[in-house]
Amino acid sequence: MIKTNKQIIRGTLMLTYLLIIAILLFLVSSLYSFLNTGADRSKMLHTEVKKVEQYLPKIVWKDDGNEGRTISQQKISAVENDYLDAWYVKQIAYKTNTQAGISDYYTKNSRKNIYDILKYNKLNKISIDATTLEHHLDIEFFSEDGQLIVLKDSNAIEYKQVFKNEKLILEATEVSSYRAVLLLEDGFWRIRHMVKEASEKFKNTTQKNFIAFTNIKGINYYPQATPWNMYGDDFDINIIENDFKIIKNAGLNSIRIFVPYVDFGKANVKLDKLEKLQKVLDTAQKKGLKVVVTLFDFYGNYDVLDWTLNHRHAEKIVENFKDHEAILAWDIKNEPNLDFNSRGKENVIAWLDYMIIVIKSIDKKHPVTIGWSNTKSATILKDKVDVVSFHYYEDLANFENEYLALQEEIKDKPIILQEFGLSSYGGFWRPFVGSEKKQANYYEEIQKIMTKNSIPFMSWTLYDFDVVPKEVLGRLPWRTNPQKKFGFINNKGEKKLSFKYISKE
Amino acid sequence: MKLKKLFFLLFFQLILTSFHAQEANISNAIRLISTTKEFIAGAKIILEFKVEKETKFQLYCSNSYGSSIIESENSGNKISFEIPEFLTKKRGVLSWEVLATKEKVSGNITILSIQKPVTIETYLGPPSIDAGAVDYTMLVVIPTDSLDNPIRDNSKVLVKHQFLKSEKETAIYTDKLIGYKNIFSPLKSGRIIISSESFGLNSKEFDVNVMPAIATNFKLFVNRNHEYADGNQITTFYTSVIKDKNNNIVSDGSFVEFFIRNKTKNILKTFGTTINGIAKAKMIHPDYEEKWKVKAYFIGIAESNVLEVNYKKVIEDYMVSFSENNRKIKVGPLKSFMNQTIPDGLSVKLAIYQNNILIKQLYEESKNGFTEFYLDPNIFENNSYKIITETAGIQKEFKEIKL
């Protein structure tokens, strides 16, 4: 008994000793590291402010000269940079109710105005998630000593989501005109005075674009070897051309392809990717296929402060291909309704709404659609899109009714069944669920319905795939394996039974 | 069967829409009573509305700097929103919108600045300009009210400036938030004092230095103790008083370069900066007969005339004596213009030739009027050499010297 007690005491003592040493060591080391940190000299002069593209609203400069000293292009871009940064830090401040960054872009007197509002908003649990989509800038005056600028910002489009107690209570889009006095201080063009001179509610006036033809018999297309990664290093236009030949010969007249957002370079769309897309469209044109281009694949942020970047991405691609003969329609996003839960329904819908405006302002010819994943969501924004698209993977028995019900609600616009299909997978993870026979029957049945109601369609998909990236459906084998077997042609290039019904009953 | 389903659907929709209708009834009809659309910054702004039922409302408002939400004050079927001071104090459009109403109830209020400035923000630059009525400085003023708003456009600001005996006062009008005036330099250099006045408020005093403009051509002079090339005295070059085209003496410290071209077309350079318009530069006398052509420049701006300076020979002749098997060569005595011993440091050259090929040149400086060379037997073997001495531009040749 005594012996055990002694052992316990000894043990405790040793442990305490170790603990004390550990604490001391930690304290000394943190003191040491504290003394070794300090301001980096290169940062004193703001020489190393890295340009990260985080806020890229559309900027239109009015280049009509100014009073006072003539201004160089370099100075204009410096002003643009700092003025946009001023907006960006302000948006962040009102979103988070913190003051970070404000002092860099607003002078001592003007930043007080922002701080006052921030204080009140914080106290009342109000936060504002906002962005600006467009600025029309004009330098009106530049002082002789190069230290003061009067900047006119007319018809700036501001989108705001106002939250109270973390609940969205207002969405507002305003078109406002500002006049600002900027001073050059510490190398920054800082806002000294800001006066909102006019403001009105944004009016959405987009034109209607009509689809070239509605007799769509199409297919969703990925090359067999590189599904979901069509424009990567293994891009081979010969394979694609051959596939297009197969599609055309099967009696189809259109395809749907996807443009991945990150792979294409986000706001700065990469030229080599555009070239690859150009080749795909040219080839489709050559083979007599029309193309629905689905943008923003593998994108799911929708954050208000991300919008300007998304807009620059869409702008670049649409601007580049708006006159391409092969384009049938722009599909803004594949199945955005699946992001409603994680990203907020209002947010996603607002994002789509403004994306439609952006695309339609550039391409005044081609229709815009959204690839909703079911009939229920397909009515969202039905007044804004030119063509309504939906996907159908549910029970075939209800298909006709659901389609007819949707047609009741959308009378004046074409409705496209943009994705449908059945997996022929019946292997280990889902024994006896699917087979090539069942798949063929499914297509035979659905073709009948589609012919009867003359429904434009695009099936999923041409090939069976060997790999499905984890970003598509995750890693679970009972989910990814069926996805590999949706094709009309298997991974060895042999036509499956369903191929017979690829374009007709 | 199908008919039944359709009927059911219709019924269901009817119920749904009726729910909707009820909800619309609940949401209160609201009407703006307040009529004033224009306020002065800082004034109390209260928006009043007539409502059917007393419920709390929220108002979104947005001014030049940001947006916020305020809550209503209710009294019976009237509600009011008092816009907080931090939103009413800034000039510009204040947009508002009542939240959660059936129809959008929104509007704009214009807030004007208080037309009584308390500060005149002044930006003046550049701070120094050239005299001559070509260059100018710019005065930018932003009269601001007590709430830091720029006062209304088209407000009068008096700009006053004084230079020597002239005092001027001109009126400018603010436009696009600011007012500005270019003030051109006078012909004379000096200092302009500038101030401004707006609605009786005077700014403090600002000044701009009017610097002399660029120099015009000038003259060059020389000053030296004697005209002998003794390699010891110093010659001073100096300019006339350098002025700009309006007779202002150029700024002190202006840099002048002096170029000296000698007989052999080589260039010597010396520098000076002006004090009271005169630049001085110095150069040591040559140690042999010379003829210098000197010219001074403000590089790229102005130049002087060419000045010729001659230096006379100071030594007519000298002796060379050989001893210790001709290995010790003594040059001197070297005597100056009054037969005085030449100051130490005169350069003496000794060249040694064998079969008319130069094999060695030795340099020494004179000390107490003499220079000694010693030809080391380890280097110069016993043989016959030609030796040439040279100092102060005088050469002496000794053929067939046997060592």
Side-chain angles (χ1 to χ4, degrees), chain B residues 15-205:
Chain B
I15 291 177
L16 263 178
T17 45
S18 64
F19 264 130
H20 223 79
Q22 223 171 6
E23 215 171 67
N25 278 338
I26 289 168
S27 93
N28 227 325
I30 179 165
R31 198 161 50 81
L32 180 69
I33 310 171
S34 315
T35 48
T36 321
K37 288 251 166 80
E38 246 183 38
F39 290 88
I40 300 289
K44 208 171 213 180
I45 303 181
I46 297 175
L47 282 178
E48 286 185 318
F49 295 89
K50 199 164 189 152
V51 288
E52 282 169 7
K53 243 181 244 160
E54 191 178 334
T55 34
K56 277 273 175 192
F57 279 91
Q58 288 173 321
L59 185 82
Y60 155 84
C61 24
S62 166
N63 78 347
S64 302
Y65 284 91
S67 328
S68 195
I69 298 283
I70 53 177
E71 307 279 337
S72 65
E73 297 279 329
N74 291 29
S75 63
N77 61 354
K78 219 167 85 177
I79 61 161
S80 58
F81 296 97
E82 186 180 341
I83 315 252
E85 196 249 339
F86 59 81
L87 290 175
T88 61
K89 72 177 181 186
K90 293 320 288 186
R91 171 184 159 175
V93 172
L94 181 105
S95 3
W96 55 265
E97 183 178 335
V98 186
L99 299 190
T101 51
K102 198 170 96 189
E103 277 158 20
K104 253 197 181 157
V105 182
S106 62
N108 282 345
I109 291 171
T110 307
I111 296 173
L112 302 170
S113 50
I114 306 166
Q115 206 57 349
K116 187 181 180 334
V118 294
T119 43
I120 300 181
E121 253 177 80
T122 310
Y123 303 95
L124 182 66
S128 61
I129 51 177
D130 276 2
V134 177
D135 202 6
Y136 59 90
T137 187
M138 183 186 269
L139 177 80
V140 182
V141 289
I142 313 177
T144 50
D145 66 16
S146 57
L147 296 165
D148 197 34
N149 294 304
I151 60 169
R152 280 164 233 179
D153 279 358
N154 227 1
S155 298
K156 187 170 149 188
V157 179
L158 282 176
V159 176
K160 306 172 204 176
H161 54 104
Q162 171 268 332
F163 183 74
L164 300 178
K165 276 178 188 158
S166 97
E167 276 178 40
K168 278 184 192 160
E169 198 174 278
T170 23
I172 56 169
Y173 293 87
T174 61
D175 180 29
K176 303 176 184 111
L177 309 180
I178 59 149
Y180 77 96
K181 180 165 174 56
N182 292 339
I183 295 161
F184 281 82
S185 62
L187 295 178
K188 281 191 174 172
S189 63
R191 176 173 288 184
I192 310 177
I193 290 179
I194 300 169
S195 79
S196 50
E197 182 188 337
S198 171
F199 290 89
L201 178 76
N202 280 286
S203 77
K204 59 178 187 178
E205 154 183 321

Side-chain angles (χ1 to χ4, degrees), chain A residues 67-69 87 90 94 106 109-114 116-117 120-121 124 126 128 140-145 148 150 158 160 162-164 169-172 174 176 178-181 183 191-201 401 404, chain B residues 2 5 58 60 62-71 84-87 89-100 104 106 108 121 123-127 136-138 140 142 144 147-150 153 175-180 182:
Chain A
E67 285 183 68
R69 178 173 166 160
W87 273 99
K90 192 167 85 169
Y94 283 123
Y106 293 84
N109 281 319
S110 72
R111 69 182 79 133
K112 278 186 214 149
N113 302 308
I114 295 175
D116 284 347
I117 302 176
Y120 177 87
N121 284 0
N124 292 287
I126 298 161
I128 293 152
E140 294 184 319
F141 174 81
F142 184 35
S143 75
E144 195 55 38
D145 57 355
L148 184 143
V150 178
E158 289 178 69
K160 292 176 191 165
V162 184
F163 295 86
K164 173 130 191 179
I169 54 170
L170 176 75
E171 260 186 286
E174 292 156 353
S176 303
Y178 292 93
R179 188 169 264 146
V181 175
L183 300 180
I191 291 175
R192 168 68 188 93
H193 291 290
M194 184 104 176
V195 177
K196 194 197 276 187
E197 300 197 321
S199 181
E200 56 181 48
K201 300 270 178 244
N401 284 343
L404 291 175
Chain B
K2 214 171 182 186
K5 217 172 194 173
Q58 288 173 321
Y60 155 84
S62 166
N63 78 347
S64 302
Y65 284 91
S67 328
S68 195
I69 298 283
I70 53 177
E71 307 279 337
E85 196 249 339
F86 59 81
L87 290 175
K89 72 177 181 186
K90 293 320 288 186
R91 171 184 159 175
V93 172
L94 181 105
S95 3
W96 55 265
E97 183 178 335
V98 186
L99 299 190
K104 253 197 181 157
S106 62
N108 282 345
E121 253 177 80
Y123 303 95
L124 182 66
Y136 59 90
T137 187
M138 183 186 269
V140 182
I142 313 177
T144 50
L147 296 165
D148 197 34
N149 294 304
D153 279 358
D175 180 29
K176 303 176 184 111
L177 309 180
I178 59 149
Y180 77 96
N182 292 339

Side-chain angles (χ1 to χ4, degrees), chain B residues 55 117 142 169 183 208 234 244 253 278 312 378:
Chain B
T55 34
I142 313 177
E169 198 174 278
I183 295 161
V208 168
I234 284 172
D244 71 1
I278 297 170
K312 281 186 189 158
N378 296 316

Side-chain angles (χ1 to χ4, degrees), chain A residues 16-65:
Chain A
T16 324
Y17 175 73
L18 277 179
L19 190 75
I20 290 169
I21 292 292
I23 289 170
L24 276 177
L25 213 64
F26 171 74
L27 287 175
V28 170
S29 62
S30 48
L31 182 73
Y32 181 76
S33 58
F34 171 75
L35 290 174
N36 270 303
T37 53
D40 188 347
R41 272 183 208 189
S42 65
K43 285 181 182 146
M44 283 198 306
L45 292 170
H46 302 299
T47 50
E48 217 220 351
V49 178
K50 284 209 183 78
K51 180 140 174 52
V52 188
E53 280 174 343
Q54 50 207 359
Y55 196 62
L56 298 171
K58 184 176 169 186
I59 302 290
V60 184
W61 275 101
K62 190 173 170 190
D63 209 4
D64 64 345

